[in-house]
Amino acid sequence: MPGLPELNLILLGPPGSGKGTQGERLQEDFRLPYYATGDILRAAVKEGTEVGKQAKEYMDRGDLVPDEVIIGVIAERIQGDEAADGFILDGFPRTVPQAEALDKKMSELRREITAVIRIDVPEEEILRRLGGRRTCEKNPSHIYHVEFDPPKEEGVCDLDGGNLVVRDDDKPEVIKNRLAQYREKTEPLGDYYDERGILNHVDGEQSPDEVEERIHGIIATLRREEEEGM
Ligand SMILES: [Zn+2]
């Protein structure tokens, strides 16, 4: 078989698991396109692709973009040259029915998901990570963390003296609600992919470098198995 086998990866993990960071690192490390669903959806709308136009109609009406349209956007991307060796998908699927629909589309395209990497982080750690974030009132790109990246003076931005506030998204009740959604709708995906023998867990309480190293280990094992024809 010429070249390396395809690496079609899905990243799973609760909000605050650091999966966006890992997605960007993997994109560089393995030279694979990283598809964060929200980003490729917005790009398809901007470029005015066939499915992008469909998505725009829903978005203009303030409606949720239906699964089949999102899958259409993903399919447009993975049929491109850039994804010939694989891709990293983040943000979709979030539910078992979405995973089933994605599998169906993949088999139409004669592709399959090679591996699912789930970054697990306990809820109290997520609350600590997300709940400790403070954002500058003057410039929302100035972000601090009470524990991991505190400002010199409590509650005051180092750069412009702005007040540091807790954004609505970072309020404990909002975070808990997102986590409950994840538990209810997204966690069952673990079993779905486990039954297919492609689920891999990574302990997300480790540092980003350690998580990255662990993911490299998983991918190296996959490639070795593939070469050995397992
Ligand atoms: Zn500031």
Side-chain angles (χ1 to χ4, degrees):
M1 204 210 291
L4 287 164
E6 281 175 27
L7 216 46
N8 303 328
L9 304 175
I10 289 178
L11 282 181
L12 286 181
S17 61
K19 116 187 117 71
T21 306
Q22 293 302 328
E24 279 162 20
R25 289 185 180 197
L26 290 174
Q27 172 178 37
E28 293 211 349
D29 297 344
F30 293 97
R31 294 165 196 268
L32 294 173
Y34 170 49
Y35 299 142
T37 327
D39 294 345
I40 60 170
L41 194 57
R42 278 187 292 275
V45 170
K46 206 170 149 212
E47 288 160 23
T49 69
E50 207 49 52
V51 273
K53 284 180 197 152
Q54 291 173 31
K56 188 173 184 300
E57 284 180 29
Y58 292 96
M59 288 157 96
D60 285 347
R61 290 200 298 265
D63 290 340
L64 275 181
V65 180
D67 292 350
E68 66 264 26
V69 176
I70 297 177
I71 289 177
V73 170
I74 296 169
E76 260 183 356
R77 287 302 190 108
I78 67 182
Q79 289 177 94
D81 286 344
E82 61 176 20
D85 296 330
F87 56 86
I88 305 155
L89 187 59
D90 175 9
F92 194 94
R94 284 180 199 269
T95 66
V96 171
Q98 288 178 344
E100 288 166 348
L102 179 65
D103 276 347
K104 188 161 163 273
K105 182 51 126 185
M106 292 290 283
S107 76
E108 281 168 28
L109 301 174
R110 299 183 184 284
R111 309 269 293 248
E112 60 181 5
I113 300 297
T114 323
V116 175
I117 295 168
R118 192 175 77 189
I119 305 176
D120 293 319
V121 184
E123 296 204 356
E124 61 273 17
E125 170 68 12
I126 293 169
L127 281 165
R128 201 168 133 226
R129 287 182 184 179
L130 299 182
R133 272 213 297 235
R134 297 293 180 269
T135 306
C136 175
E137 250 180 353
K138 282 192 187 167
N139 184 335
S141 72
H142 302 159
I143 298 168
Y144 299 83
H145 192 284
V146 289
E147 205 176 326
F148 311 127
D149 184 20
K152 290 195 188 78
E153 192 187 332
E154 199 186 317
V156 182
C157 179
D158 290 346
L159 301 167
D160 54 21
N163 267 335
L164 299 184
V165 296
V166 180
R167 286 186 328 155
D168 284 344
D169 270 1
D170 298 332
K171 297 211 160 106
E173 58 275 21
V174 176
I175 300 168
K176 281 183 183 155
N177 184 33
R178 284 166 71 200
L179 287 174
Q181 291 272 340
Y182 178 81
R183 236 187 350 255
E184 186 194 338
K185 304 226 170 77
T186 309
E187 249 178 24
L189 274 179
D191 289 339
Y192 177 87
Y193 287 121
D194 202 19
E195 281 163 17
R196 282 152 186 77
I198 57 171
L199 181 69
N200 301 272
H201 305 263
V202 177
D203 172 7
E205 270 195 291
Q206 309 171 90
S207 71
D209 286 346
E210 287 167 322
V211 172
E212 185 183 9
E213 203 176 304
R214 172 84 182 92
I215 296 176
H216 278 235
I218 291 169
I219 292 173
T221 305
L222 278 174
R223 289 199 148 149
R224 205 162 42 238
E225 286 174 357
E226 193 85 31
E227 277 165 21
E228 289 164 3
M230 280 171 74

